Amino acid sequence: MNKVIINSEKAPKPVGPYNHAVKVGDLLFVSGQIPFDQSTETLVTTGIEDETKQVMKNLEAILSEANMTFENVVKTTIFLTDMNDFTTVNEIYGSYFNAETAPARECIQVVKLPRNVNVEISMIATK
């Protein structure tokens, strides 16, 4: 197995025993991202819109580091602490994808996320 570790200086530094992404063959497995702004080293807590935009920015940085774009994404998982935020998150998330080639996805409500954020998103991409 040829496992390549991918980390981006533009995404939040991992705070545990994990990496931003692992590439195996043509598949890229991207760890869940929360709304932490690495450039200011602060957690974005100004509402679900800003949080979701920051999460997508972090994911974009990791995809870019792997020479991929959102067009390469084949599967995502969205974790929300409040399913009432679904419409807002879905609108922002959807703006990063072409509707005809959008990835498979699930959205799950959870009790709590790291650092008490409201949204976390993970991805699988392929070349």
Side-chain angles (χ1 to χ4, degrees):
M1 169 177 66
N2 186 17
K3 183 167 117 174
V4 178
I5 304 301
I6 307 288
N7 285 300
S8 171
E9 292 294 321
K10 296 179 181 176
K13 292 180 173 84
V15 294
Y18 67 92
N19 290 289
H20 286 150
V22 176
K23 188 168 187 269
V24 179
D26 289 337
L27 292 175
L28 181 72
F29 298 89
V30 183
S31 295
Q33 293 298 302
I34 64 171
F36 188 85
D37 184 342
Q38 185 59 32
S39 66
T40 61
E41 295 188 354
T42 58
L43 196 60
V44 175
T45 59
T46 51
I48 195 65
E49 287 183 31
D50 292 338
E51 291 178 44
T52 304
K53 288 175 185 175
Q54 185 62 53
V55 167
M56 296 305 287
K57 183 178 176 181
N58 293 343
L59 290 164
E60 186 172 41
I62 296 165
L63 289 168
S64 178
E65 190 70 29
N67 296 314
M68 293 188 189
T69 68
F70 286 111
E71 191 62 30
N72 295 102
V73 177
V74 295
K75 176 76 167 62
T76 63
T77 302
I78 300 174
F79 301 95
L80 296 174
T81 57
D82 186 348
M83 199 55 81
N84 291 317
D85 291 332
F86 176 79
T87 301
T88 301
V89 171
N90 192 52
E91 183 178 311
I92 294 164
Y93 166 93
S95 71
Y96 286 82
F97 296 99
N98 178 330
E100 290 78 35
T101 59
R105 177 189 84 188
E106 66 260 329
C107 184
I108 304 161
Q109 181 172 318
V110 297
V111 173
K112 192 173 182 179
L113 288 167
R115 300 187 74 176
N116 295 314
V117 300
N118 296 306
V119 60
E120 179 175 358
I121 302 174
S122 64
M123 296 183 158
I124 300 172
T126 188
K127 274 287 187 176

